[in-house]
Amino acid sequence: MNKVPKNVWYAIITLAILISVVVLFGSGSTLSKPPAVVPFSSVLENVKQDKVESIQVTGDELTVKLKDGTKQKSYKESYKSLSDFGVDYNKVKVEAKNPDNKNIFLDIILSLLPIAIIIGFFYFIMKQAQGSNSQAMSFGKSKARVSGMEKNKVKFKDVAGSQEAKVELQEIVEFLKYPKKFEALGAKIPKGVLLFGRPGTGKTLLARAVAGEADVPFFSISGSEFVEMFVGVGASRVRDLFSKAKKNAPCIIFIDEIDAVGRQRGSGTGGGHDEREQTLNQILVEMDGFEQGANVIVIAATNRPDVLDPALLRPGRFDRRVTLDLPDVKAREEILAVHSLKKPLDKDIDFSEIARKTPGVSGADLANIANEAAIFAARSDRKKVTQADFHEAIEKIALGPERKSHILNDREKKITAYHEAGHALLGHLLPNCHPVHKVSIVSRGMAGGVTWSLPLEDKHLHSIADFKDDIAMSLGGRSAEKIIFGEENVTTGAESDLKHANGLARRMVTEYGMSKALKNRFFGEEQGSVFLGKSFSQDKQYSEQIAAKIDDEVAKIIDQGTKRAEDTLTKNRAMLDKIAETLLVKETIEGKAFDKLMGEGPKPKTKTTKRNKTKNS
Ligand code: ADP
Ligand code: MG
Ligand code: ZN
C-alpha cells in the first residue's frame, strides 16, 4: 500500500475528520445527556403553568427547555401548530426548524463520499500508470528520446577515423545549417541517410555527431520500438514521431537498427510481419510527405543492408548511403586516444603498438579496451594507466579472461601442452601463418589453452595458400595429440578448431571458388539471413550432385590439411617436444620468448598477413 500517493491519504484523513466533526457536533447536544421524553399533554400543562422557557419544533418533534433548565422531548400531532393547542408565542419562545436540517450537512457529505472515493481511485490508477512505465495512456505515442539540448554535445572530433563518412555527413550538416543556400540553387535536400556498418563501428555515435555539429535536436528511436504486441501501434508511433519532429524542424530523426522494420516486405517468417509492413509503409509515406523545406533529415542505421526493402533505398528516401568500416591501424590509434583523453596515462603509453595488436576490432571494442585498462590500473591501486594494463585488457577482450582456477590434472595438462604446441609450431613453420604472439595452457574463456597469432598489418585479401596454412594450423592441435598419445586418445579439445577449419574449407569451395573440382564456382547462400526469412524460402540453387561434390571437396581440403599438419609435426618432433615441455613448466610463452625458443629470432614473413586474427585453442 505504500504506493498510494501522499495526497490521497491526506484527502481520506481530512474526509474522515470532517465526518466525525459533523457527527459529533452537527446534531447539537444530542450526545450530552438525552432529555427525557414526556407526553405532549405534560408539555401543554407546563406551558400553562408558565414553566417553559422555549420550545424547538422540528417537524413533529419538540425539544422543550424548562425555566429550571431541564430539557424534555416530546411529540405533537402532525399538521397542527403549537398555537392550535393554545400556546402563547409571546410567553414561550418557539423556534421552528426544518425537520431535515440537522442532517443536511452530513447528508451532503455522505452522498459526496462515493464520488470522492471513485475520483480518488481513478486518480490513484492514473498516478500508477504514469509512475510505472506501463504507458496505458500513451500507447501510440512514439518513445523517441530527444537529445541535442545538452551542453556537451557529440561532435565530429569525438569520432576518430571514419574520414570518408565524416566528409559525406559534413554535407548533411550544411543542409541542416544553411538550407537556403541549397534551395536557392534548386537543389533538393536529401531526406534520408542510411549508415551501414558492423556493430560497434560508430553508427549511432556518428549520427549524434551530425546533430551536434548542426546544433539541431536529435530524435532517436530504435526500429524494434515500433514493433509491439498490438497491430497498428508501430504505424501510429511513426506518425507521432514525424509530427513531433516537424514541429521541431530543423532536426534529425535517427532510426537505429532499421532492419527490425525495414526488411523486405512479404518475406516475413512467422507472425508479426504485417505489423512491420504497416510500420515500414508509414515511414515511407511520412518521408514522401515531407514538403520541400521541411528540413527534417532521417538518419537510419543498420548492420544488415542486404535484408532491407528496396523501397527504402529508392531515390527520395534513403538515397544517401554511408558505409562505416572497421577501423584500420591509424584509426584504431586515434580511437584509443579519444577514449583515453580523461584517463591519466603513464608516459610509456604507445597507442600505435596497441593499434597494431588489435586488427579487426571495432571502435566499440577499443573503447572497451581503454576502459578495461583503466579498471586494471585502478584494481592494482596505481594512479596512472600503463601500457601493460592495455596489453592485459586486449588479451582479456580477445581471448576471454584467464581462468587460473580451472585446474587441469597432470595428464590433461600434458595433452593441452602438446595440443597448443602443435598449433604454435605450425604457426611458426608454415609460411603464410601470422607470427605467434602468445602460447598458453592457462585456460581462457571457453578455451583450454590458447595459441594467439597476430598479423603484422591489416589485410583484406586472402589467397588459397593463406587458407590452406590456416586450416593446417587449426588442425595442428589434434594432430599433435594423435602423434604423441595415439589415434585413440585424441580429445574433445579440438572442437572449435574443427569448426573453424571445416567452416573455412566449405567457404573456400562454395563462396570463393577455390577448390579443384568446382573451380570458380559460387554456391554461396546469404549467411545468417535465415531468421529474417530470406534464404528460408529459397531453395538451394544447385543439384544434389553438386551438393555431394561440395562435400567431397571440403573433405579433400580437410584431409590434405590434416596430412600437412601431421607430416610437418612428425618431421619437427624435437621442436614440438621443446615447446610442450616449456609450456608445462612456464604455462605461457610470449612471442619474443617463443621466437628465441625456436632459435631463429623473429621469423621473416615475406608475405603480408591474411586473416585479421588467428586464435586457436
Ligand atoms: P554502432 O551504433 O555502430 O553499433 P556505436 O555508435 O554505438 O556503434 O558505438 C559504440 C561505441 O564505440 C561508441 O559509443 C564509442 O564509444 C565507440 N566508438 C565506435 N566508433 C568510434 C569512433 N570512430 N571513434 C570514437 N569512438 C568510437
Ligand atoms: Mg548503434
Ligand atoms: Zn586447438
Side-chain angles (χ1 to χ4, degrees), residues 203-204 256-257:
K203 300 182 292 293
T204 310
D256 211 352
E257 321 289 350

Side-chain angles (χ1 to χ4, degrees), residues 432-434 455 457-463 465-467 469-471 473 504 607-614:
N432 298 298
C433 287
H434 305 312
E457 56 199 325
D458 291 7
K459 191 180 173 188
H460 305 102
L461 295 177
H462 311 290
S463 66
D466 289 343
F467 285 147
D469 282 4
D470 189 347
I471 289 172
M473 180 179 169
L504 186 51
K607 297 199 64 162
T608 44
T609 48
K610 48 171 184 142
R611 278 193 307 132
N612 279 327
K613 180 167 67 200
T614 324

Side-chain angles (χ1 to χ4, degrees), residues 349-381:
I349 287 281
D350 176 9
F351 284 138
S352 71
E353 193 212 340
I354 295 164
R356 264 181 279 123
K357 263 188 98 173
T358 48
V361 308
S362 67
D365 292 328
L366 291 167
N368 198 5
I369 286 172
N371 189 47
E372 286 288 339
I375 290 174
F376 277 127
R379 270 214 225 132
S380 38
D381 286 328

Side-chain angles (χ1 to χ4, degrees), residues 69-315:
T70 43
K71 275 190 179 172
Q72 291 178 330
K73 207 166 193 178
S74 188
Y75 297 92
K76 67 174 174 62
E77 283 168 78
S78 304
Y79 312 117
K80 282 197 166 176
S81 83
L82 282 177
S83 54
D84 295 341
F85 298 102
V87 176
D88 185 351
Y89 287 0
N90 291 326
K91 281 185 175 164
V92 182
K93 202 170 124 206
V94 174
E95 196 184 335
K97 262 194 179 172
N98 189 321
D100 286 328
N101 85 345
K102 74 171 176 188
N103 282 333
I104 207 156
F105 193 47
L106 185 64
D107 276 357
I108 290 174
I109 295 280
L110 283 180
S111 58
L112 283 181
L113 193 63
I115 297 173
I117 289 174
I118 290 170
I119 290 176
F121 179 71
F122 272 103
Y123 177 74
F124 170 70
I125 295 276
M126 298 257 285
K127 272 277 180 188
Q128 285 257 309
Q130 284 168 7
S132 70
N133 43 15
S134 95
Q135 265 118 358
M137 307 294 169
S138 59
F139 214 67
K141 293 277 193 296
S142 75
K143 294 191 207 154
R145 295 161 296 274
V146 192
S147 55
M149 313 305 186
E150 64 270 10
K151 283 224 174 67
N152 37 9
K153 292 174 187 166
V154 181
K155 291 281 178 66
F156 277 155
K157 70 169 168 41
D158 300 315
V159 186
S162 324
Q163 280 314 319
E164 298 89 347
K166 278 196 241 174
V167 169
E168 192 91 5
L169 290 171
Q170 181 60 43
E171 208 167 282
I172 303 295
V173 173
E174 304 268 311
F175 285 139
L176 285 167
K177 266 186 160 166
Y178 317 107
K180 294 271 161 358
K181 183 167 109 187
F182 293 90
E183 274 161 26
L185 292 169
K188 276 202 182 129
I189 290 173
K191 289 174 180 166
V193 183
L194 200 49
L195 299 175
F196 293 148
R198 300 235 208 133
T201 42
K203 300 182 292 293
T204 310
L205 186 70
L206 207 50
R208 283 188 175 282
V210 173
E213 288 285 334
D215 202 17
V216 298
F218 178 82
F219 290 82
S220 84
I221 191 161
S222 161
S224 60
E225 284 169 73
F226 290 126
V227 186
E228 280 277 354
M229 201 159 48
F230 303 105
V231 175
V233 171
S236 84
R237 284 198 181 151
V238 171
R239 237 173 281 131
D240 183 60
L241 171 63
F242 277 76
S243 78
K244 263 188 211 159
K246 274 182 225 167
K247 275 185 215 131
N248 287 288
C251 70
I252 286 177
I253 296 179
F254 179 59
I255 307 179
D256 211 352
E257 321 289 350
I258 196 174
D259 46 283
V261 287
R263 272 169 237 164
Q264 291 201 350
R265 284 170 289 186
S267 67
T269 333
H273 78 274
D274 271 358
E275 168 66 352
R276 274 206 325 262
E277 276 184 22
Q278 283 189 22
T279 308
L280 176 56
N281 284 341
Q282 192 64 41
I283 292 177
L284 298 179
V285 166
E286 293 287 348
M287 287 184 75
D288 287 344
F290 280 165
E291 316 82 57
Q292 204 48 53
N295 217 357
V296 177
I297 291 183
V298 185
I299 301 183
T302 179
N303 46 12
R304 305 290 320 271
D306 50 319
V307 298
L308 287 187
D309 196 292
L312 274 175
L313 307 175
R314 209 203 66 185

Side-chain angles (χ1 to χ4, degrees), residues 539-568:
D539 281 324
K540 284 196 178 76
Q541 304 276 326
Y542 46 84
S543 66
E544 288 303 315
Q545 285 93 319
I546 292 285
K549 241 185 191 168
I550 291 176
D551 291 341
D552 278 353
E553 289 298 298
V554 173
K556 263 188 218 160
I557 294 175
I558 294 296
D559 287 347
Q560 281 169 7
T562 309
K563 189 162 180 307
R564 245 177 108 215
E566 287 177 9
D567 290 352
T568 317

